[in-house]
Amino acid sequence: MNMNINQLHASFCEEARLIKNYTPATIKWYTSTLGAYLKHQPRITELNEVTPDSLREFLYYGRLKRLWTADTFLNHYKGLKSFLKWCTKRGYISTNPIDSIEKPKLEKKLPKRISKQDALKLLEYAFHQPRFYRFQRYRDRAVFAVMIFAGLRSKEVLGLKMNDVDLENSVIAVFSGKGGKDRMVPICSTLKVILEEYKKDRLRLHKQDIQFFCRLRGEGPFTVNGLKKVVEVLRARSKVDFSPHKLRHTFATMMLEGGCDIFTLSKMLGHSDIKTTTIYLSASVKHMQEQIMKHPLN
């Protein structure tokens, strides 16, 4: 029985969105992986035309000709596998054609971070950079402070609503984080002061936007492009090689060095599997040095 692959994929994405509550970013990833495969195999329009050979040709082409990393290879592999697994469960195909394809081993790289000194330097530059408008300085410092002191992803920071940041009870509520997971992240005293000062300056300008971080002119949220521009400017002026995700890694490593247990850190980062968090143990030399001092014969 012939079944149009695009129509099936649309049903797969609809179920993932409505039933499994997957985020728009995940749905977009599913769509882009199938789109890349069909672009490389333009003659394929029906599900029964998807074969191990056509999948292998696409994935190997990416690895050999487009120089995909192992991460990129696996990203496409997993996106296609999820869809084809769904088709198998529905009985549209008898076996998953991608199961016979070998996957490259991931390189075990430690998460990149910046030093404590550079983190403090970054916050100083964000606040004291030459800006004509005071609000931008308070806002930009607060944005990076949330990443450094609470470990939020950039999308989570930009997605915060006013009611999500509870300064009275010192907690940030992150709704629909990566994988659609909700979590609560405590606010330390330093971050609380920075957020209070930003909120006070926001009130001075009578900002009414529902988003916690908003743009300078008029109403509306602080955007992804706006954040990218600020990152580029700060990276150039401070000479600190950072990215928003590197600040999240910095938070995690510094928390371990400060004595935070791995279980609590995993909850704050929003990891569904604690194994994901344990990589920061390897990244923290200071933590390992402290642990080795516990050797009974030392």
mmCIF file of all heavy atoms in Angstrom, residues 77-109:
data_model
loop_
_atom_site.group_PDB
_atom_site.id
_atom_site.type_symbol
_atom_site.label_atom_id
_atom_site.label_comp_id
_atom_site.label_asym_id
_atom_site.label_seq_id
_atom_site.Cartn_x
_atom_site.Cartn_y
_atom_site.Cartn_z
ATOM 1 N N TYR A 77 20.036 11.166 12.250
ATOM 2 C CA TYR A 77 19.684 9.752 12.456
ATOM 3 C C TYR A 77 18.507 9.614 13.431
ATOM 4 O O TYR A 77 17.530 8.910 13.160
ATOM 5 C CB TYR A 77 20.912 9.002 12.982
ATOM 6 C CG TYR A 77 20.675 7.544 13.298
ATOM 7 C CD1 TYR A 77 20.931 6.554 12.349
ATOM 8 C CD2 TYR A 77 20.213 7.143 14.551
ATOM 9 C CE1 TYR A 77 20.725 5.208 12.640
ATOM 10 C CE2 TYR A 77 19.993 5.808 14.845
ATOM 11 C CZ TYR A 77 20.254 4.847 13.884
ATOM 12 O OH TYR A 77 20.039 3.522 14.177
ATOM 13 N N LYS A 78 18.592 10.308 14.553
ATOM 14 C CA LYS A 78 17.544 10.202 15.575
ATOM 15 C C LYS A 78 16.223 10.793 15.108
ATOM 16 O O LYS A 78 15.154 10.272 15.426
ATOM 17 C CB LYS A 78 18.017 10.884 16.863
ATOM 18 C CG LYS A 78 19.139 10.161 17.584
ATOM 19 C CD LYS A 78 19.624 10.950 18.790
ATOM 20 C CE LYS A 78 20.763 10.230 19.506
ATOM 21 N NZ LYS A 78 21.292 11.023 20.648
ATOM 22 N N GLY A 79 16.303 11.908 14.369
ATOM 23 C CA GLY A 79 15.086 12.521 13.870
ATOM 24 C C GLY A 79 14.339 11.614 12.913
ATOM 25 O O GLY A 79 13.109 11.478 12.979
ATOM 26 N N LEU A 80 15.089 10.946 12.014
ATOM 27 C CA LEU A 80 14.476 10.019 11.073
ATOM 28 C C LEU A 80 13.995 8.747 11.772
ATOM 29 O O LEU A 80 12.920 8.219 11.468
ATOM 30 C CB LEU A 80 15.482 9.661 9.972
ATOM 31 C CG LEU A 80 15.823 10.789 8.992
ATOM 32 C CD1 LEU A 80 17.015 10.406 8.134
ATOM 33 C CD2 LEU A 80 14.624 11.127 8.115
ATOM 34 N N LYS A 81 14.790 8.280 12.727
ATOM 35 C CA LYS A 81 14.432 7.046 13.420
ATOM 36 C C LYS A 81 13.132 7.203 14.200
ATOM 37 O O LYS A 81 12.299 6.285 14.227
ATOM 38 C CB LYS A 81 15.555 6.620 14.364
ATOM 39 C CG LYS A 81 15.260 5.301 15.091
ATOM 40 C CD LYS A 81 16.438 4.806 15.889
ATOM 41 C CE LYS A 81 16.103 3.469 16.532
ATOM 42 N NZ LYS A 81 17.261 2.889 17.260
ATOM 43 N N SER A 82 12.933 8.339 14.844
ATOM 44 C CA SER A 82 11.709 8.560 15.619
ATOM 45 C C SER A 82 10.477 8.458 14.727
ATOM 46 O O SER A 82 9.472 7.836 15.094
ATOM 47 C CB SER A 82 11.744 9.933 16.293
ATOM 48 O OG SER A 82 12.774 9.990 17.252
ATOM 49 N N PHE A 83 10.563 9.067 13.539
ATOM 50 C CA PHE A 83 9.434 9.021 12.603
ATOM 51 C C PHE A 83 9.201 7.601 12.091
ATOM 52 O O PHE A 83 8.062 7.101 12.072
ATOM 53 C CB PHE A 83 9.691 9.970 11.436
ATOM 54 C CG PHE A 83 8.775 9.774 10.273
ATOM 55 C CD1 PHE A 83 7.392 9.878 10.428
ATOM 56 C CD2 PHE A 83 9.278 9.476 9.005
ATOM 57 C CE1 PHE A 83 6.529 9.690 9.341
ATOM 58 C CE2 PHE A 83 8.431 9.288 7.931
ATOM 59 C CZ PHE A 83 7.058 9.392 8.099
ATOM 60 N N LEU A 84 10.270 6.916 11.692
ATOM 61 C CA LEU A 84 10.137 5.568 11.144
ATOM 62 C C LEU A 84 9.706 4.560 12.222
ATOM 63 O O LEU A 84 8.988 3.605 11.926
ATOM 64 C CB LEU A 84 11.465 5.135 10.506
ATOM 65 C CG LEU A 84 11.865 5.950 9.263
ATOM 66 C CD1 LEU A 84 13.285 5.623 8.829
ATOM 67 C CD2 LEU A 84 10.879 5.706 8.121
ATOM 68 N N LYS A 85 10.096 4.797 13.446
ATOM 69 C CA LYS A 85 9.649 3.948 14.556
ATOM 70 C C LYS A 85 8.140 4.107 14.759
ATOM 71 O O LYS A 85 7.425 3.142 15.026
ATOM 72 C CB LYS A 85 10.407 4.340 15.836
ATOM 73 C CG LYS A 85 10.077 3.473 17.044
ATOM 74 C CD LYS A 85 10.896 3.915 18.244
ATOM 75 C CE LYS A 85 10.572 3.071 19.470
ATOM 76 N NZ LYS A 85 11.369 3.514 20.657
ATOM 77 N N TRP A 86 7.684 5.346 14.636
ATOM 78 C CA TRP A 86 6.240 5.628 14.739
ATOM 79 C C TRP A 86 5.481 4.907 13.629
ATOM 80 O O TRP A 86 4.426 4.323 13.856
ATOM 81 C CB TRP A 86 6.036 7.135 14.649
ATOM 82 C CG TRP A 86 4.611 7.601 14.679
ATOM 83 C CD1 TRP A 86 3.837 7.838 15.781
ATOM 84 C CD2 TRP A 86 3.786 7.913 13.545
ATOM 85 N NE1 TRP A 86 2.591 8.283 15.411
ATOM 86 C CE2 TRP A 86 2.526 8.334 14.044
ATOM 87 C CE3 TRP A 86 3.988 7.881 12.167
ATOM 88 C CZ2 TRP A 86 1.481 8.713 13.203
ATOM 89 C CZ3 TRP A 86 2.944 8.262 11.325
ATOM 90 C CH2 TRP A 86 1.708 8.668 11.852
ATOM 91 N N CYS A 87 6.039 4.920 12.419
ATOM 92 C CA CYS A 87 5.414 4.231 11.289
ATOM 93 C C CYS A 87 5.360 2.721 11.516
ATOM 94 O O CYS A 87 4.373 2.059 11.153
ATOM 95 C CB CYS A 87 6.192 4.521 10.002
ATOM 96 S SG CYS A 87 6.067 6.232 9.430
ATOM 97 N N THR A 88 6.419 2.193 12.140
ATOM 98 C CA THR A 88 6.455 0.756 12.421
ATOM 99 C C THR A 88 5.395 0.374 13.447
ATOM 100 O O THR A 88 4.689 -0.625 13.298
ATOM 101 C CB THR A 88 7.854 0.345 12.934
ATOM 102 O OG1 THR A 88 8.847 0.789 12.012
ATOM 103 C CG2 THR A 88 7.957 -1.168 13.094
ATOM 104 N N LYS A 89 5.269 1.179 14.491
ATOM 105 C CA LYS A 89 4.268 0.910 15.528
ATOM 106 C C LYS A 89 2.849 0.976 14.978
ATOM 107 O O LYS A 89 1.957 0.255 15.441
ATOM 108 C CB LYS A 89 4.428 1.911 16.679
ATOM 109 C CG LYS A 89 5.588 1.615 17.606
ATOM 110 C CD LYS A 89 5.578 2.565 18.802
ATOM 111 C CE LYS A 89 6.654 2.200 19.803
ATOM 112 N NZ LYS A 89 6.630 3.106 20.992
ATOM 113 N N ARG A 90 2.647 1.839 13.982
ATOM 114 C CA ARG A 90 1.318 1.976 13.395
ATOM 115 C C ARG A 90 1.034 0.889 12.362
ATOM 116 O O ARG A 90 -0.058 0.792 11.834
ATOM 117 C CB ARG A 90 1.172 3.359 12.726
ATOM 118 C CG ARG A 90 1.224 4.544 13.670
ATOM 119 C CD ARG A 90 0.025 4.561 14.615
ATOM 120 N NE ARG A 90 0.043 5.667 15.545
ATOM 121 C CZ ARG A 90 0.803 5.750 16.626
ATOM 122 N NH1 ARG A 90 1.662 4.776 16.904
ATOM 123 N NH2 ARG A 90 0.730 6.781 17.441
ATOM 124 N N GLY A 91 2.039 0.079 12.070
ATOM 125 C CA GLY A 91 1.845 -1.005 11.110
ATOM 126 C C GLY A 91 1.962 -0.580 9.662
ATOM 127 O O GLY A 91 1.611 -1.348 8.751
ATOM 128 N N TYR A 92 2.462 0.624 9.404
ATOM 129 C CA TYR A 92 2.612 1.095 8.031
ATOM 130 C C TYR A 92 3.789 0.401 7.340
ATOM 131 O O TYR A 92 3.803 0.264 6.124
ATOM 132 C CB TYR A 92 2.813 2.607 8.001
ATOM 133 C CG TYR A 92 1.679 3.394 8.618
ATOM 134 C CD1 TYR A 92 1.916 4.520 9.395
ATOM 135 C CD2 TYR A 92 0.349 3.014 8.419
ATOM 136 C CE1 TYR A 92 0.870 5.251 9.965
ATOM 137 C CE2 TYR A 92 -0.702 3.727 8.981
ATOM 138 C CZ TYR A 92 -0.430 4.843 9.759
ATOM 139 O OH TYR A 92 -1.467 5.543 10.320
ATOM 140 N N ILE A 93 4.804 0.014 8.127
ATOM 141 C CA ILE A 93 5.928 -0.779 7.624
ATOM 142 C C ILE A 93 6.210 -1.877 8.640
ATOM 143 O O ILE A 93 5.908 -1.735 9.829
ATOM 144 C CB ILE A 93 7.196 0.084 7.398
ATOM 145 C CG1 ILE A 93 7.494 0.976 8.623
ATOM 146 C CG2 ILE A 93 7.067 0.932 6.143
ATOM 147 C CD1 ILE A 93 8.757 1.806 8.468
ATOM 148 N N SER A 94 6.778 -2.975 8.176
ATOM 149 C CA SER A 94 6.994 -4.124 9.068
ATOM 150 C C SER A 94 8.237 -3.965 9.937
ATOM 151 O O SER A 94 8.271 -4.394 11.094
ATOM 152 C CB SER A 94 7.103 -5.408 8.247
ATOM 153 O OG SER A 94 8.150 -5.293 7.286
ATOM 154 N N THR A 95 9.295 -3.340 9.404
ATOM 155 C CA THR A 95 10.532 -3.127 10.163
ATOM 156 C C THR A 95 11.030 -1.709 9.922
ATOM 157 O O THR A 95 10.738 -1.092 8.887
ATOM 158 C CB THR A 95 11.632 -4.121 9.737
ATOM 159 O OG1 THR A 95 11.877 -3.980 8.329
ATOM 160 C CG2 THR A 95 11.223 -5.555 10.051
ATOM 161 N N ASN A 96 11.798 -1.219 10.877
ATOM 162 C CA ASN A 96 12.369 0.121 10.754
ATOM 163 C C ASN A 96 13.633 0.041 9.892
ATOM 164 O O ASN A 96 14.626 -0.565 10.305
ATOM 165 C CB ASN A 96 12.705 0.670 12.146
ATOM 166 C CG ASN A 96 13.050 2.158 12.106
ATOM 167 O OD1 ASN A 96 13.484 2.669 11.091
ATOM 168 N ND2 ASN A 96 12.853 2.837 13.224
ATOM 169 N N PRO A 97 13.640 0.642 8.716
ATOM 170 C CA PRO A 97 14.791 0.508 7.805
ATOM 171 C C PRO A 97 16.075 1.160 8.302
ATOM 172 O O PRO A 97 17.151 0.870 7.771
ATOM 173 C CB PRO A 97 14.300 1.188 6.523
ATOM 174 C CG PRO A 97 13.230 2.125 6.962
ATOM 175 C CD PRO A 97 12.564 1.465 8.126
ATOM 176 N N ILE A 98 15.983 2.005 9.299
ATOM 177 C CA ILE A 98 17.194 2.697 9.763
ATOM 178 C C ILE A 98 17.938 1.902 10.841
ATOM 179 O O ILE A 98 19.081 2.201 11.175
ATOM 180 C CB ILE A 98 16.840 4.111 10.297
ATOM 181 C CG1 ILE A 98 18.044 5.064 10.165
ATOM 182 C CG2 ILE A 98 16.347 4.055 11.743
ATOM 183 C CD1 ILE A 98 17.720 6.515 10.434
ATOM 184 N N ASP A 99 17.279 0.864 11.383
ATOM 185 C CA ASP A 99 17.883 0.089 12.474
ATOM 186 C C ASP A 99 19.167 -0.622 12.075
ATOM 187 O O ASP A 99 20.024 -0.897 12.917
ATOM 188 C CB ASP A 99 16.881 -0.941 13.011
ATOM 189 C CG ASP A 99 15.825 -0.305 13.901
ATOM 190 O OD1 ASP A 99 16.058 0.834 14.352
ATOM 191 O OD2 ASP A 99 14.782 -0.938 14.153
ATOM 192 N N SER A 100 19.319 -0.942 10.797
ATOM 193 C CA SER A 100 20.495 -1.697 10.346
ATOM 194 C C SER A 100 21.706 -0.808 10.079
ATOM 195 O O SER A 100 22.787 -1.301 9.752
ATOM 196 C CB SER A 100 20.159 -2.482 9.070
ATOM 197 O OG SER A 100 19.775 -1.593 8.020
ATOM 198 N N ILE A 101 21.545 0.505 10.237
ATOM 199 C CA ILE A 101 22.644 1.435 9.938
ATOM 200 C C ILE A 101 23.454 1.709 11.202
ATOM 201 O O ILE A 101 22.913 2.069 12.250
ATOM 202 C CB ILE A 101 22.094 2.759 9.364
ATOM 203 C CG1 ILE A 101 21.328 2.485 8.075
ATOM 204 C CG2 ILE A 101 23.225 3.757 9.128
ATOM 205 C CD1 ILE A 101 20.664 3.718 7.475
ATOM 206 N N GLU A 102 24.754 1.508 11.091
ATOM 207 C CA GLU A 102 25.635 1.747 12.236
ATOM 208 C C GLU A 102 25.799 3.242 12.487
ATOM 209 O O GLU A 102 25.799 4.045 11.558
ATOM 210 C CB GLU A 102 27.006 1.112 12.006
ATOM 211 C CG GLU A 102 26.987 -0.407 12.004
ATOM 212 C CD GLU A 102 28.391 -0.984 11.948
ATOM 213 O OE1 GLU A 102 29.366 -0.208 11.942
ATOM 214 O OE2 GLU A 102 28.508 -2.220 11.910
ATOM 215 N N LYS A 103 25.973 3.575 13.758
ATOM 216 C CA LYS A 103 26.129 4.987 14.155
ATOM 217 C C LYS A 103 27.571 5.241 14.589
ATOM 218 O O LYS A 103 28.208 4.372 15.191
ATOM 219 C CB LYS A 103 25.183 5.331 15.323
ATOM 220 C CG LYS A 103 23.736 4.970 15.071
ATOM 221 C CD LYS A 103 22.845 5.423 16.212
ATOM 222 C CE LYS A 103 23.141 4.690 17.514
ATOM 223 N NZ LYS A 103 22.763 3.282 17.464
ATOM 224 N N PRO A 104 28.079 6.434 14.311
ATOM 225 C CA PRO A 104 29.438 6.766 14.777
ATOM 226 C C PRO A 104 29.442 7.003 16.285
ATOM 227 O O PRO A 104 28.429 7.398 16.863
ATOM 228 C CB PRO A 104 29.760 8.066 14.026
ATOM 229 C CG PRO A 104 28.419 8.684 13.779
ATOM 230 C CD PRO A 104 27.474 7.543 13.558
ATOM 231 N N LYS A 105 30.575 6.727 16.894
ATOM 232 C CA LYS A 105 30.696 6.968 18.332
ATOM 233 C C LYS A 105 30.911 8.454 18.593
ATOM 234 O O LYS A 105 31.658 9.119 17.879
ATOM 235 C CB LYS A 105 31.863 6.174 18.918
ATOM 236 C CG LYS A 105 31.613 4.671 18.975
ATOM 237 C CD LYS A 105 32.756 3.964 19.673
ATOM 238 C CE LYS A 105 32.483 2.470 19.791
ATOM 239 N NZ LYS A 105 33.598 1.746 20.469
ATOM 240 N N LEU A 106 30.246 8.956 19.612
ATOM 241 C CA LEU A 106 30.396 10.363 19.972
ATOM 242 C C LEU A 106 31.738 10.603 20.645
ATOM 243 O O LEU A 106 32.207 9.779 21.442
ATOM 244 C CB LEU A 106 29.272 10.797 20.921
ATOM 245 C CG LEU A 106 27.923 11.142 20.292
ATOM 246 C CD1 LEU A 106 26.923 11.456 21.391
ATOM 247 C CD2 LEU A 106 28.050 12.347 19.369
ATOM 248 N N GLU A 107 32.338 11.730 20.313
ATOM 249 C CA GLU A 107 33.561 12.129 20.998
ATOM 250 C C GLU A 107 33.191 12.655 22.386
ATOM 251 O O GLU A 107 32.287 13.481 22.514
ATOM 252 C CB GLU A 107 34.280 13.217 20.199
ATOM 253 C CG GLU A 107 34.693 12.784 18.810
ATOM 254 C CD GLU A 107 35.266 13.927 18.002
ATOM 255 O OE1 GLU A 107 35.428 15.029 18.570
ATOM 256 O OE2 GLU A 107 35.550 13.721 16.812
ATOM 257 N N LYS A 108 33.862 12.174 23.388
ATOM 258 C CA LYS A 108 33.553 12.588 24.754
ATOM 259 C C LYS A 108 34.291 13.892 25.079
ATOM 260 O O LYS A 108 35.414 13.897 25.556
ATOM 261 C CB LYS A 108 33.935 11.490 25.746
ATOM 262 C CG LYS A 108 33.097 10.230 25.592
ATOM 263 C CD LYS A 108 33.433 9.198 26.650
ATOM 264 C CE LYS A 108 32.543 7.962 26.496
ATOM 265 N NZ LYS A 108 32.856 6.924 27.516
ATOM 266 N N LYS A 109 33.626 14.990 24.760
ATOM 267 C CA LYS A 109 34.212 16.302 25.000
ATOM 268 C C LYS A 109 33.656 16.900 26.287
ATOM 269 O O LYS A 109 32.467 16.776 26.579
ATOM 270 C CB LYS A 109 33.910 17.250 23.835
ATOM 271 C CG LYS A 109 34.561 16.846 22.527
ATOM 272 C CD LYS A 109 34.255 17.853 21.441
ATOM 273 C CE LYS A 109 34.938 17.476 20.126
ATOM 274 N NZ LYS A 109 34.628 18.466 19.058
#
